[in-house]
Amino acid sequence: MRALYKFAVTCLALALSGSAMAQFDFLNKAMDAAKSKMGPAGNLLDKAKPIIDSMGIDEPKEIEIGNTFAASLLGAKPLLNDPALHRYVNTLGRWLALQTERPDLPWTFGVLDDDGFNAFATPGGNIFVTKGLLARMRNESELAGVLSHEIAHVIRKHYVKALQISALAGGSVEIFTERWNKGPAEFRPYIAGFVKDVYSKGLDKSDEYEADRIGVVIAARAGFDPYGLPGVLQTLQSQNPRDGGFTLLFETHPTPTDRLDSLSKVMNGRFDSNNGSVGKSFAERSKEFSR
Ligand SMILES: [Zn+2]
């Protein structure tokens, strides 16, 4: 708790400047405008919405589904045995999540014992980053950018939406609802199949672009340099997609170049006056959280 307090005080001095708030409003408006331009795809989503709403995934269910996702993920990749690192990542992640409209979710952050470069989110607020990703972060604002991107997937319910669309596409809404109503034990096999699928194929590209846009804003609101996430994307740009550690990420996301192009259109100088911090060094954080 003391560490969280110290972290919050450090960041509070930098957070929530008037300009960051204005940028948030601007991006919200830009996203609404983009949605209204979706045309037929937007209409389809509008038609699907009442069906999706009737599937009744409220917040407690969202959290329960998310825990099933997390159990599946952890079945494939164990957590790293490093309590100090987990304290740090949770402190940073929860500080970022506090800047969003869903601060009260049971946000939990974990580091997977995996040398690959990846990050995963589940419904309800579980977020995992790999050991290999952490090792390649050049500063704290880059890690803040990655965590904020994952947080954005949670607050916008991208995985819940993908699960619902998958059920609808299979024509199995009734089966889905019936199994859900019987309880988690009945529902788990369905979710397990979906989880394997979604983490190997990825979300809709538009959800990834949205998570980038919102992620930049969350990091800025938390007092970090908003160019942390673009910095990570530049690192990815220089990697070989066939390098084993990066393959999954490249297969499940739009290319780093497309993501940078998309971000530059909305950032377009609007964050130039933002004096966010690149954060403390990982060596300092390591000392701080090992105490
Ligand atoms: Zn993503």
Side-chain angles (χ1 to χ4, degrees), residues 149-150 153 208 211 253:
H149 170 101
E150 298 304 325
H153 281 315
E208 294 299 344
H253 286 74

Side-chain angles (χ1 to χ4, degrees), residues 29-46:
K29 279 179 194 148
M31 281 183 252
D32 287 345
K35 266 187 225 155
S36 70
K37 285 182 192 156
M38 279 174 73
N43 292 340
L44 190 66
L45 277 179
D46 283 346

Side-chain angles (χ1 to χ4, degrees), residues 8 16 26 60 70 78 91 101 111 152 166 186 194 207 211 242 252 264 269 272 285:
L16 289 172
F26 164 77
T91 305
E101 66 265 35
V111 181
S166 139
E186 281 290 321
F194 173 79
D207 290 344
R242 285 185 292 279
T252 53
S264 74
D272 288 357
R285 289 296 187 205

